[in-house]
């Protein structure tokens, strides 16, 4: 039987085990001797000499090298999928060789056999057979069976001690193998602000501002990322597999919240009549009195489409049953690639869409094909934003390739685009018009009319190729957008910088989002953008005194994110909720420039789901090895969501905050849904509420103790009214009572508010104290 190359042991496999009774704890149930050939015979019996547990199988009376324990997998395995297989094996015949090779093998019927894993084991010792394998996409698996054997030889009976020795098998497993997409390196270095995220990829970023938050919509490059478990290197990106759009957002341009992916296309997508979702663009508009969000995307190179959302995060629906831009779009007939749709809603409410790219029409002269390929179009959108109006005129962008995008500033329209690299698609090796873009650069044009883009409106190169800034392995085409946020303009682009940090100078095309500030000359032209890892300045310090998503990160190491069914703690329903997961010992996440204020943080609470015992979260300042200001024990029931809290000491002022994760090595420790810090009250009072019986009536009482060195004025409010304490002297306490007028009261709380003047500044604080239900009848 033929041998097959076997990959190294994988780092991740998914349950369940497809083998029934793989540990032989139920005797020989589901097992039989291989009978694939008429000459295959063996006797199976149970033995207590097991690798683990109480049972194993003993194989005796073998007639062929393939005579071994077999199990039927018909209906359990699928063509095209990858699996992990393991088995323990031992032989003890003193007359057999000192070492022996064993295989675990798949029989697909007829003469089709494939060795899945192998081990050479010393006599008398248990060895581990293991391997990963992919069933060929065209393989018939209707009679798939798996068995353990020794290497084939034509006449094994001539040397039975060498070829037909008895052996034992235990702990057979077969699991579908899931390649881990978790990025274990630090892909966004602390202190740097590019790339924007370090735990996943994203390309063709389109920046969009809504209600004080910047959203970035991206092609989901992570969808096809599948690093080899042995080398860490993924196959090259396959754009044909991408049918999701990734969304992140930020209020400060450094700490980004991961909102996960929108399943746009494919059989289970919002628009199942499309197969891909590349290069998204988004716009909002009030339609029929309702604010709506319109997410445009490329359905491969042949067409473009749009889906509609109730918010920037959805939920999303398709109001169309066919693509928006395609071969029937007036004016787009000669456009090779009808993709990269970028919307613009003008100040008067009229919306436009810019799209197109690819090879120039062969009807043009070669020099024109090279310098003015006329492959981008502009078109008006209808009032409903999901239909076009009129004919699409040519955008005569010099050396254009793709990625047309328009923004407006001071009454002028700016159209940027990515330039081509030449070649036969663009007339061959032709002379370039002086000043026109080089290959893979971002050029731009300036016009007074959003529908008029003659070549004379060309203004220069906005951004050179990213490889000029990030070096080997980062070249290729690009895709950009421009957005305005709080009075400044910003430029988005992508580069495979995270891919480079994972694999070195050889990258596989997986791209990451970047942002730089965009500045203008007095005449309105753009100052050429310089790409760097430093990125943009943080717009504002991070406010920790609220509930916020744990997947909001400035930097991270070794973590992944995933969707859960519960509502988002920060964004509510029906927006998607993600959690931080795949957390191992030594992993961490961090927030940039967290402002704890002069009084500082008293505590931090995390919503977690414990997965291992003896795990904890350290809260550190300024680095992953910085001072610990608090430790959160994750000691809640395994598998259940719960809140855990730790007191903090020394968390004052502005710091980068690192959450470092501790626990048993090799275990998934926990998942995290949200964080919330609580501030140290500006005034130090101790408040206690209680109840007592006065006759048959309940009295609610409250005590306020002043721990300050100054007088504090306070009052208490309950469901039964408000009672002033007046001035409470330093180190003194006062009591107040609330007659309820009833014989029984439910549990409740009392709120105490306090004011004082500290160092000439007025300060106030509020405290809550709970009391239990009481009955006095």
């Amino acid at each position: 039987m033929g041998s097959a190359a076997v990959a190294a042991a994988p780092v991740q496999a998914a349950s369940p085990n497809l083998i029934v009774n793989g540990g032989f704890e139920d005797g020989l149930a589901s097992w039989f001797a291989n009978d694939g050939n008429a000459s295959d015979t063996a006797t199976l019996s149970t033995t207590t000499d097991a690798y683990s547990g109480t049972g194993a199988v003993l194989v005796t009376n073998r007639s062929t090298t393939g005579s071994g324990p077999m199990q039927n997998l018909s209906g359990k395995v699928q063509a095209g999928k990858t699996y992990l297989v393991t088995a323990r094996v031992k032989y003890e015949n003193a007359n057999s060789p000192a070492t022996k090779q064993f295989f675990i093998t798949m029989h697909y019927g007829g003469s089709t056999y494939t060795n899945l894993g192998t081990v050479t084991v010393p006599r008398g010792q248990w060895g581990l057979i293991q391997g990963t394998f992919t069933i060929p996409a065209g393989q018939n698996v209707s009679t798939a069976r798996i068995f353990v054997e020794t290497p084939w030889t034509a006449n094994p009976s001539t040397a039975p001690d060498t070829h037909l020795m008895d052996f034992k098998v235990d702990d057979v497993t077969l699991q579908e193998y899931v390649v881990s997409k978790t990025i274990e390196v630090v892909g966004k270095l602390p202190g740097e602000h590019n790339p924007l995220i370090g735990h996943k990829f994203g390309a063709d970023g389109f920046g969009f501002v809504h209600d004080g938050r910047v959203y970035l919509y991206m092609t989901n490059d992570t969808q096809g990322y599948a690093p080899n478990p042995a080398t860490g290197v993924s196959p090259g990106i396959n754009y044909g597999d991408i049918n999701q759009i990734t969304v992140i957002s930020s209020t400060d341009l450094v700490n980004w919240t991961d909102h996960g992916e929108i399943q746009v296309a494919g059989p289970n997508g919002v628009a199942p009549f499309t197969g891909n979702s590349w290069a998204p663009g988004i716009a909002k508009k009030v339609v029929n009195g309702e604010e709506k969000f319109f997410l445009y995307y490329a359905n491969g190179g042949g067409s473009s489409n749009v889906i509609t959302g109730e918010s920037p995060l959805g939920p999303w629906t398709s109001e169309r049953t066919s693509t928006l831009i395609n071969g029937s779009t007036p004016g787009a007939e000669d456009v090779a690639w009808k993709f990269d749709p970028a919307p613009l809603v003008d100040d008067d409410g009229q919306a436009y869409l810019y799209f197109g790219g690819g090879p120039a029409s062969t009807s043009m002269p070669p020099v024109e094909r090279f310098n003015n390929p006329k492959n981008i179009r502009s078109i008006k959108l209808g009032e409903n934003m999901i239909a076009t109006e009129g004919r699409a005129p040519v955008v005569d962008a010099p050396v254009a390739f793709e990625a047309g995008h328009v923004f407006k500033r001071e009454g002028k329209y700016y159209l940027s685009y990515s330039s081509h690299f030449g070649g036969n698609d663009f007339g061959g090796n032709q002379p370039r018009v002086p000043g026109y873009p080089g290959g893979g650069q971002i050029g731009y044009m300036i016009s007074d009319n959003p529908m008029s883009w003659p070549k004379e409106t060309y203004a220069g190169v906005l951004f050179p190729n990213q490889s000029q800034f990030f070096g080997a392995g980062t070249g290729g085409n690009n895709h950009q957008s421009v957005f305005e946020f709080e009075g400044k303009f910003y430029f988005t682009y992508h580069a495979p910088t995270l891919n480079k940090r994972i694999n070195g100078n050889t990258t596989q095309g997986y791209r990451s989002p970047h942002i730089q500030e965009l500045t203008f000359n007095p005449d309105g032209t753009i100052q050429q953008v310089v790409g760097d890892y430093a990125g943009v300045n943080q717009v504002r310090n991070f406010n920790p005194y609220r509930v916020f998503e744990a997947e909001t990160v400035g930097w991270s190491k070794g973590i992944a994110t995933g969707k859960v069914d519960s509502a988002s703690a920060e964004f509510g329903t029906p927006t998607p909720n993600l959690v931080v997961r795949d957390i191992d010992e030594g992993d961490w996440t961090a927030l940039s420039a967290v402002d704890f204020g002069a009084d500082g943080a008293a505590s931090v609470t995390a919503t977690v789901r414990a997965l291992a015992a003896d795990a904890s979260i350290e809260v550190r300042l300024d680095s992953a090895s910085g001072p610990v200001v608090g430790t959160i024990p994750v000691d809640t029931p395994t598998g259940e969501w719960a809140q855990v809290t730790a007191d903090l000491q020394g968390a004052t002022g502005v710091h980068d905050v690192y959450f470092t994760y501790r626990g048993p090595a090799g275990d998934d420790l926990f998942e995290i849904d949200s964080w919330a810090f609580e501030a140290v009250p500006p005034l130090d009072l101790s408040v206690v509420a209680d109840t007592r019986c006065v006759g048959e009536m309940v009295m609610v009482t409250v005590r306020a103790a002043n721990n300050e060195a100054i007088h504090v004025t306070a009052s208490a409010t309950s469901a039964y009214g408000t009672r002033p304490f007046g001035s409470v002297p330093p180190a003194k306490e006062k009591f107040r009572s609330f007659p309820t007028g009833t014989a029984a009261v439910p549990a409740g709380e009392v709120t105490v508010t306090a004011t004082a003047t500290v160092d000439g500044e007025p300060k106030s604080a509020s405290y809550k104290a709970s009391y239990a239900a009481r009955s006095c009848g």
Side-chain angles (χ1 to χ4, degrees):
M1 297 170 191
S3 63
V6 179
V11 295
Q12 179 179 345
S15 295
N17 184 8
L18 299 179
I19 298 294
V20 177
N21 188 31
F24 301 93
E25 304 306 311
D26 293 331
L28 299 177
S30 299
W31 291 96
F32 54 93
N34 180 14
D35 58 3
N37 295 308
S39 57
D40 291 333
T41 61
T43 300
L44 305 185
S45 60
T46 58
T47 174
T48 57
D49 180 21
Y51 177 79
S52 66
T54 59
V57 64
L58 172 65
V59 188
T60 59
N61 301 319
R62 300 168 62 219
S63 60
T64 65
T65 57
S67 299
M70 173 175 272
Q71 186 164 133
N72 189 356
L73 296 174
S74 301
K76 293 186 176 182
V77 294
Q78 298 180 39
K81 287 195 172 182
T82 300
Y83 296 90
L84 161 69
V85 63
T86 66
R88 296 286 178 173
V89 64
K90 181 171 76 169
Y91 73 102
E92 297 167 302
N93 187 337
N95 297 320
S96 294
T99 62
K100 185 65 179 177
Q101 187 179 24
F102 288 83
F103 291 105
I104 192 162
T105 301
M106 186 81 83
H107 183 201
Y108 295 111
S111 61
T112 306
Y113 293 85
T114 302
N115 295 140
L116 309 178
T118 186
V119 68
T120 298
V121 58
R123 182 175 56 239
Q125 299 180 25
W126 284 101
L128 173 64
I129 306 175
Q130 64 180 2
T132 57
F133 65 97
T134 300
I135 300 177
Q139 177 64 57
N140 186 330
V141 294
S142 60
T143 59
R145 307 194 302 176
I146 197 169
F147 65 101
V148 181
E149 63 173 343
T150 52
W152 180 84
T153 186
N155 299 299
S157 60
T158 60
D161 288 334
T162 300
H163 302 298
L164 299 175
M165 75 284 287
D166 300 344
F167 63 89
K168 300 170 184 177
V169 176
D170 198 6
D171 292 352
V172 186
T173 69
L174 181 71
Q175 299 166 279
E176 183 181 346
Y177 176 60
V178 180
V179 174
S180 173
K181 295 178 182 289
T182 301
I183 296 168
E184 299 295 344
V185 305
V186 181
K188 178 184 180 183
L189 301 184
E192 295 179 348
H193 299 164
N194 277 331
L196 304 185
I197 50 177
H199 67 285
K200 62 168 59 173
F201 304 99
D204 308 323
F206 190 101
F208 174 72
V209 178
H210 179 69
D211 284 350
R213 179 173 287 268
V214 175
Y215 296 84
L216 198 69
Y217 299 80
M218 301 174 288
T219 304
N220 180 21
D221 277 19
T222 310
Q223 193 166 356
Y225 180 65
N228 183 294
T231 65
V233 178
S234 173
I237 189 169
N238 182 354
Y239 302 109
D241 290 340
I242 299 175
N243 56 22
Q244 300 172 343
I245 289 172
T246 298
V247 187
I248 61 175
S249 74
S250 177
T251 58
D252 60 32
L253 302 185
V254 174
N255 298 296
W256 290 88
T257 301
D258 183 357
H259 298 290
E261 281 67 47
I262 306 168
Q263 185 63 58
V264 176
N268 300 314
V270 178
F273 55 90
T274 58
N276 294 115
S277 56
W278 307 341
I282 190 170
K284 67 178 177 180
K285 189 177 180 183
V286 175
V287 178
N288 296 326
E290 179 183 358
E291 185 178 61
K292 290 185 174 183
F293 298 82
F294 300 91
L295 183 58
Y296 301 83
Y297 63 96
N299 178 37
S303 61
S304 293
N305 197 48
V306 59
I307 58 176
T308 306
E310 296 178 16
S311 78
L313 299 176
W316 301 96
T317 58
S318 177
E319 298 183 56
R320 295 187 59 89
T321 57
S322 62
T323 53
L324 172 66
I325 301 293
N326 51 50
S328 65
T329 302
E333 297 84 358
D334 292 336
V335 176
W337 296 345
K338 300 170 180 65
F339 72 167
D340 289 2
L344 169 72
V345 178
D346 209 345
D347 301 333
D348 61 1
Q350 175 62 56
Y352 305 88
L353 193 68
Y354 303 88
F355 66 93
S361 173
T362 56
S363 65
M364 295 189 298
V367 172
E368 185 179 2
R369 291 177 67 196
F370 186 96
N371 286 289
N372 297 94
K374 299 177 177 62
N375 49 6
I376 296 177
R377 299 289 184 270
S378 60
I379 198 166
K380 286 186 176 182
L381 288 169
E383 180 64 25
N384 62 9
M385 299 288 286
I386 62 168
T388 62
E389 289 184 350
R391 188 171 183 83
V394 169
V395 174
D396 194 2
V399 199
F401 189 41
E402 58 186 2
H405 174 275
V406 174
F407 70 95
K408 188 176 184 181
R409 174 184 178 270
E410 296 183 357
K412 298 287 186 180
Y413 300 89
Y414 292 74
L415 186 147
S416 59
Y417 61 94
S418 182
S419 62
H420 67 71
F421 293 89
N424 292 335
D425 285 342
F426 295 92
N429 185 20
Q430 302 298 324
R432 188 186 308 271
V433 171
Y436 275 14
Q441 297 185 336
I442 303 298
Y444 78 103
M445 310 168 81
I446 305 175
S447 176
D448 294 324
N449 186 333
M451 292 286 284
S452 177
W453 300 98
K455 63 184 180 182
E456 289 78 15
T457 60
Y458 175 71
V461 171
L462 190 164
F463 184 65
N465 189 264
Q466 63 274 14
S467 61
Q468 177 174 322
F469 308 111
F470 301 108
T474 65
N477 60 317
N478 215 313
H479 196 117
Q480 75 300 332
S481 79
V482 174
F483 64 90
E484 184 180 6
F485 184 53
E486 298 187 357
K488 291 185 177 181
F489 284 83
Y490 295 91
F491 173 78
T492 75
Y493 61 102
H494 62 232
T497 46
L498 174 57
N499 195 176
K500 182 172 181 174
R501 280 174 170 159
I502 296 170
N503 298 136
N505 288 339
T506 301
T507 59
Q508 294 77 49
Y510 296 93
R511 302 157 297 178
S512 293
H514 296 65
I515 292 179
Q516 311 287 165
E517 188 175 340
L518 196 65
T519 55
F520 298 82
N521 297 309
D523 64 356
T525 57
I526 299 173
Q527 295 182 11
Q528 194 169 105
V529 174
V530 174
D532 58 33
Y533 286 106
V536 299
N537 293 329
Q538 188 164 334
V539 171
R540 59 178 52 79
N541 292 334
F542 189 86
N543 172 23
Y545 299 124
R546 56 195 174 91
V547 177
F548 60 93
E549 298 296 332
E551 62 274 14
T552 300
V553 292
W555 307 283
S556 64
K557 175 185 178 295
I559 58 94
T561 58
K563 287 185 179 179
V564 293
D565 291 334
S566 58
S568 167
E570 182 176 0
F571 299 95
T573 56
T575 56
N577 184 32
L578 272 69
V579 299
V580 176
R581 58 175 40 155
D582 199 9
I583 296 172
D584 305 311
E585 157 67 26
D587 290 345
W588 50 263
T589 56
L591 294 165
S592 174
V594 177
D595 190 354
F596 290 118
D599 295 309
S603 64
V604 60
T605 297
T607 303
V608 300
R609 187 168 78 96
L611 301 175
D614 301 321
S616 62
I617 303 169
E618 297 169 340
V619 183
R620 296 176 178 265
L621 301 183
D622 300 322
S623 77
S625 58
V628 177
V629 294
T631 300
I632 309 172
V634 183
D635 52 4
T636 53
T638 301
E640 298 180 12
W641 286 102
Q643 290 190 332
V644 288
T645 300
D647 292 335
L648 301 177
Q649 297 291 331
T652 60
V654 178
H655 295 273
D656 297 337
V657 174
Y658 286 72
F659 302 101
T660 56
Y661 306 125
R662 302 299 181 196
D667 289 349
D668 271 357
L669 302 181
F670 39 77
E671 296 177 343
I672 313 173
D673 189 7
S674 64
W675 305 105
F677 286 83
E678 183 176 345
V680 172
L683 297 174
D684 187 4
L685 268 69
S686 300
V687 177
V688 177
D690 201 354
T691 57
R692 61 187 178 91
C693 293
V694 179
E696 295 185 351
M697 298 298 175
V698 179
M699 184 80 75
V700 175
T701 63
V702 60
R703 175 180 64 85
N706 181 10
N707 303 316
E708 296 282 358
I710 57 174
H711 282 74
V712 172
T713 301
S715 65
T717 300
S718 74
Y720 309 101
T722 298
R723 297 285 187 273
F725 287 100
S727 179
V728 184
K732 300 294 183 180
E733 60 184 30
K734 285 189 176 182
F735 292 83
R736 287 295 180 264
S737 300
F738 296 89
T740 68
T742 61
V745 297
E749 66 180 15
V750 177
T751 300
V752 172
T753 56
T755 60
T757 300
V758 179
D759 297 329
E761 292 187 10
K763 292 200 172 186
S764 62
S766 179
Y767 310 82
K768 294 184 182 297
S770 300
Y771 56 84
R774 181 182 284 267
S775 177
C776 298

